[in-house]
Amino acid sequence: MKVFRQLAIIFGVLFVGHLLQHIIGLPIPATIIGMVILLICLVTGIIKVEMIEDVSEFLLDHITFFFIPSAVGIISSLEYVKDDWLPIIIVIVLSTIIVIGVTGLTVQVLKRLQRGDGRDG
Amino acid sequence: MAKYLNTPIFGILISILAFEIGLFINRKTKIAIFNPMLISVTLIISFLLYFDIDYEIYEKGGSIITFFLGPATVVLVVPLYRQIKKLKKSGIPILIGIFVGSFTAIVSTYFLSKLFGLEENIVLSLVPRSVTAAISIEVSKEIGGIPSLTVAATTLTGIVGSILGPYVYKVFRVKDETAQGIGLGSGAHALGTAKAMELGETQGGMGSLSISVAGIITVFLAPWLMKLFN
């Protein structure tokens, strides 16, 4: 029952996220509210990492796989991008490079400034 | 053919087989563009188109796999929790970094799309693409995009980010582990974070933090910026 017990905790967190989303009417999805709830529970010790460790590891190891059907869903939006697929891909590639580069550099530079030295680390 | 495939087992089975083939080719060639995800998705799409199988038939099994994205996204908090000390130490650089990332994603996507002369509804569908699909789809609806196109753009962003991220860091000399995680998580959501977890524990934890924070920032920032630009 260990796997089901761990799953139940994770689903429980998701379900509370779902309830809160409806009650508060936030434009934030249940999964993100669930992340915040789980983090609070872990920090306060209400949930111990060991209580969800095995199932978490399984889910995180396979997160790429869980994305496959959504990616296959690209099929159903082909009609919108008939003539524009190339510029769309170029925009996505360029912008993704810019975002990852700019964000990484920003954090790296700010961390150095905070420490007040010029070394890596 | 369709009547034989009209069971969830078909979608699940073909997804597992295609992913196994993708992993195998990736292991054998060790070429980044032969990404397991990219290979498996290309295989499945080709199969469906070649045998003229409706996406709905594949989706019967596909939706069962997609269901696990919810709990998988929630437990992304576990690697973050393990890195909580680093978060406390570098909180300000991290938060500013995620904000800069979300802002850059929206603005660069918007202006690059305009530059390439894309139509307004396609531009708006692309704008929220760098945050996790659960959020990007809601933002897309709010600003007037096409939700299914946004999901496609979001997934493609994740694939592109996880393939190119390590090269971007080489070129821009981003060596800091925290910075690498924040960049991948802010720029390429959960798929970027999966790559970040391969790079290291710190990167993984920071990536997962970025998914939720960038997601929340984008919910508020994207509609506001779109009003500003129009």
Side-chain angles (χ1 to χ4, degrees):
Chain A
M1 278 307 283
K2 191 170 78 176
V3 168
F4 286 106
R5 205 177 300 135
Q6 298 199 356
L7 257 182
I9 295 174
I10 297 165
F11 282 145
V13 167
L14 248 178
F15 190 65
V16 175
H18 190 75
L19 288 180
L20 281 180
Q21 186 199 13
H22 279 272
I23 295 168
I24 310 173
L26 286 173
I28 298 169
T31 44
I32 298 293
I33 302 174
M35 287 177 92
V36 177
I37 296 170
L38 183 58
L39 185 63
I40 293 170
C41 289
L42 286 171
V43 171
T44 54
I46 296 171
I47 296 175
K48 302 244 182 308
V49 175
E50 301 79 58
M51 290 159 69
I52 52 170
E53 204 165 28
D54 305 273
V55 171
S56 298
E57 207 176 290
F58 170 80
L59 290 170
L60 291 177
D61 281 348
H62 299 89
I63 195 162
T64 313
F65 175 72
F66 300 140
F67 269 99
I68 288 181
S70 328
V72 173
I74 288 174
I75 286 193
S76 50
S77 45
L78 285 180
E79 52 177 313
Y80 301 113
V81 298
K82 268 193 307 263
D83 314 310
D84 296 324
W85 62 272
L86 189 60
I88 289 176
I89 289 177
I90 295 173
V91 167
I92 290 176
V93 170
L94 285 181
S95 173
T96 303
I97 291 174
I98 295 170
V99 175
I100 293 179
V102 168
T103 309
L105 278 179
T106 306
V107 176
Q108 183 166 281
V109 169
L110 287 177
K111 269 186 76 181
R112 280 183 199 168
L113 286 176
Q114 193 188 37
R115 259 185 330 212
D117 64 29
R119 281 172 293 139
D120 284 326
Chain B
M1 183 143 173
K3 68 175 175 183
Y4 301 112
L5 301 177
N6 205 0
T7 155
I9 295 169
F10 165 66
I12 295 176
L13 198 58
I14 191 180
S15 301
I16 296 175
L17 289 176
F19 198 59
E20 283 288 359
I21 295 171
L23 286 173
F24 177 79
I25 295 176
N26 184 255
R27 257 200 311 269
K28 287 286 165 193
T29 59
K30 293 191 171 71
I31 301 169
I33 188 77
F34 288 151
N35 171 284
M37 172 97 170
L38 205 54
I39 295 172
S40 48
V41 171
T42 311
L43 284 176
I44 297 168
I45 291 183
S46 313
F47 187 89
L48 296 182
L49 291 177
Y50 185 80
F51 291 104
D52 199 22
I53 301 163
D54 279 342
Y55 174 68
E56 281 65 35
I57 290 178
Y58 166 77
E59 187 56 10
K60 280 194 174 175
S63 61
I64 294 172
I65 298 174
T66 308
F67 170 77
F68 285 95
L69 265 185
T73 308
V74 171
V75 297
L76 276 166
V77 162
V78 172
L80 163 64
Y81 173 68
R82 294 201 168 114
Q83 303 296 322
I84 202 109
K85 276 188 195 139
K86 284 186 180 118
L87 173 62
K88 283 179 184 156
K89 210 177 76 187
S90 317
I92 292 178
I94 290 171
L95 288 179
I96 295 178
I98 301 175
F99 183 84
V100 168
S102 307
F103 181 84
T104 311
I106 297 167
V107 172
S108 68
T109 305
Y110 182 83
F111 286 105
L112 281 171
S113 305
K114 286 277 177 192
L115 191 72
F116 281 97
L118 293 172
E119 281 169 45
E120 189 70 13
N121 59 347
I122 293 183
V123 175
L124 294 173
S125 309
L126 298 185
V127 160
R129 63 173 182 84
S130 75
V131 295
T132 188
I135 293 189
S136 67
I137 196 168
E138 294 304 321
V139 174
S140 172
K141 279 182 209 159
E142 192 174 333
I143 62 179
I146 306 156
S148 68
L149 183 56
T150 302
V151 174
T154 304
T155 315
L156 202 59
T157 298
I159 297 173
V160 168
S162 64
I163 294 175
L164 296 181
Y167 296 98
V168 174
Y169 290 148
K170 231 174 247 174
V171 173
F172 287 94
R173 297 187 185 194
V174 177
K175 291 173 191 156
D176 185 277
E177 293 176 342
T178 302
Q180 290 183 342
I182 300 292
L184 275 166
S186 309
H189 54 90
L191 284 169
T193 300
K195 174 57 77 181
M197 284 193 258
E198 284 174 31
L199 298 181
E201 246 179 75
T202 307
Q203 286 92 327
M206 292 302 141
S208 61
L209 171 71
S210 313
I211 296 173
S212 44
V213 178
I216 294 168
I217 291 175
T218 303
V219 166
F220 298 102
L221 194 60
W224 184 73
L225 283 175
M226 288 309 106
K227 252 178 227 152
L228 201 71
F229 294 155
N230 280 304

